[in-house]
Amino acid sequence: MLENNAIRAGVPEELGRLAREYVMIPRDMLPGEPAMFVKVVGDSMQDVGIMEGDKVLLAVGRKPYTGDIVAALIDGMPTLKSYYEADDGTCWLISQNKEKEDVYRPILLDERNNAMIQGVVTEMTKSAPRVSQAMLSKRLGDAEKRMPSKKKLLKAISQTYDEGLWWGSTAWATVYRALKYDGSMSAFAREMQDLLWGMDFVYEPTADSISKPLRDGRMMAEIGEWEANGVAQRNIKLAKRLRKLLNIK
C-alpha cells in the first residue's frame, strides 16, 4: 500500500495539511524501491499528458536522468517537472506547458534554490475527465441548431423525390450520411417514418435499408471522398442535392 498525497504541477506551493489515503496497486507496478502515489495539482506538465487530478507513482530516492519526470522540493515546496542535465553540467527542472512558458520558467538546481529531488515518476493513472454542465448545454444547443427543422427536411426529401433522385429504399442510407446523423440507424428510421406519416412516399425507411448499403464502409467516409471510394453516382448526386437544399456544409 502506498501513501496518496498531492503535488503541484505548477508554481511550487506549500502542501499544508493533507488527509492521507491508502490505495492497493498491482505488485508489477511497484518500482522495487520505496514508492508512493501523489495527486497532481496544476497544469505545468500538460504537454506530456499529465493533467490536474491525475495520480503518478513516484519511486522515492531514485536517481533521475535527463528526460525523467521528477518530484522535487524547492525551498520545501513540492513540484513536478522534467529533469534535464545540460552539457555544462548544470541540472534543471523544466515545465511542459508551451502556452505558459512565461509563467513556468526553468528552475536551476543549485544551492540558491534550495532544491532537492524526491523521486522519479514511473507510472501514471488518469482520472475520468468531466465536462461542465454549461459546456454540455451549449454543445447540445449547437447540435440542435445545425439539424434542419422537420418542415425543411420534409420539403427537401419531397423535392429530391419529385426530381427523380430516388431509386429505391436504399436511398435512405444516403440521407442518413448527408445529414451527418450520429444516432443509431433504427432511431433515424423511426424519426423519418414519423416525419413522412401521411405522405404517399413509396420508399419507407427501415434500419435494414439504411444499414445494408453502409456495411462495406465506402459511404461511411465524408461525402467529398465518395467518388474516390467508388460510391455510385446516384448516391453522390442525391447527397449533394440534399445538402445544398438543407444548407449543410
Side-chain angles (χ1 to χ4, degrees):
M1 293 196 301
L2 305 176
E3 282 191 11
N4 177 18
N5 279 325
I7 192 166
R8 298 277 312 173
V11 179
E13 183 177 288
E14 291 202 33
L15 285 172
R17 293 177 176 268
L18 293 172
R20 295 190 175 185
E21 303 171 356
Y22 293 90
V23 293
M24 299 296 294
I25 66 168
R27 183 176 296 276
D28 58 9
M29 282 184 65
L30 292 172
E33 57 244 272
M36 66 179 178
F37 266 126
V38 291
K39 187 175 181 180
V40 177
V41 179
D43 61 1
S44 73
M45 297 299 288
Q46 70 176 21
D47 291 354
V48 290
I50 300 179
M51 313 299 286
E52 182 160 349
D54 292 344
K55 291 182 180 180
V56 295
L57 182 63
L58 191 66
V60 179
R62 179 182 291 191
K63 175 180 170 58
Y65 294 94
T66 292
D68 284 342
I69 296 171
V70 300
L73 288 176
I74 309 295
D75 289 330
M77 295 180 287
T79 189
L80 198 67
K81 296 287 183 283
S82 290
Y83 178 80
Y84 173 65
E85 293 183 13
D87 292 339
D88 62 3
T90 57
C91 299
W92 298 81
L93 298 178
I94 301 177
S95 298
Q96 300 295 328
N97 186 332
K98 193 166 181 61
E99 294 178 352
K100 295 185 177 180
E101 286 180 335
D102 57 333
V103 176
Y104 303 132
R105 297 181 179 180
I107 299 170
L108 178 63
L109 292 174
D110 65 1
E111 65 280 357
R112 289 175 298 173
N113 283 320
N114 188 22
M116 181 179 69
I117 302 293
Q118 290 182 298
V120 176
V121 172
T122 61
E123 301 281 348
M124 181 174 67
T125 62
K126 301 292 289 183
S127 56
R130 293 187 62 81
V131 180
S132 70
Q133 181 177 347
M135 179 61 74
L136 290 172
S137 178
K138 182 179 184 304
R139 290 192 174 178
L140 178 59
D142 290 345
E144 290 175 342
K145 289 176 184 176
R146 286 195 301 269
M147 282 299 291
S149 66
K150 290 186 177 181
K151 183 178 180 180
K152 191 172 183 180
L153 179 57
L154 184 57
K155 183 178 179 180
I157 290 172
S158 300
Q159 188 165 336
T160 55
Y161 185 72
D162 292 339
E163 291 173 1
L165 296 179
W166 288 74
W167 58 92
S169 61
T170 54
W172 285 105
T174 308
V175 181
Y176 182 90
R177 292 296 294 128
L179 292 175
K180 293 187 175 181
Y181 191 90
D182 58 4
S184 71
M185 295 172 191
S186 57
F188 173 76
R190 286 194 299 270
E191 288 183 26
M192 293 304 102
Q193 286 168 348
D194 291 343
L195 183 65
L196 298 171
W197 185 83
M199 280 188 64
D200 185 19
F201 202 89
V202 176
Y203 306 115
E204 184 176 287
T206 67
D208 196 46
S209 69
I210 299 165
S211 62
K212 276 184 178 180
L214 300 179
R215 285 175 188 163
D216 66 5
R218 290 179 298 168
M219 291 174 65
M220 294 307 294
E222 286 295 316
I223 290 173
E225 301 172 11
W226 279 14
E227 192 158 8
N229 284 1
V231 174
Q233 283 296 317
R234 61 188 183 184
N235 298 76
I236 297 171
K237 190 173 181 180
L238 173 58
K240 288 183 175 179
R241 182 63 174 146
L242 275 169
R243 293 181 70 165
K244 184 175 181 180
L245 289 170
L246 297 169
N247 196 28
I248 297 176
K249 297 180 180 180

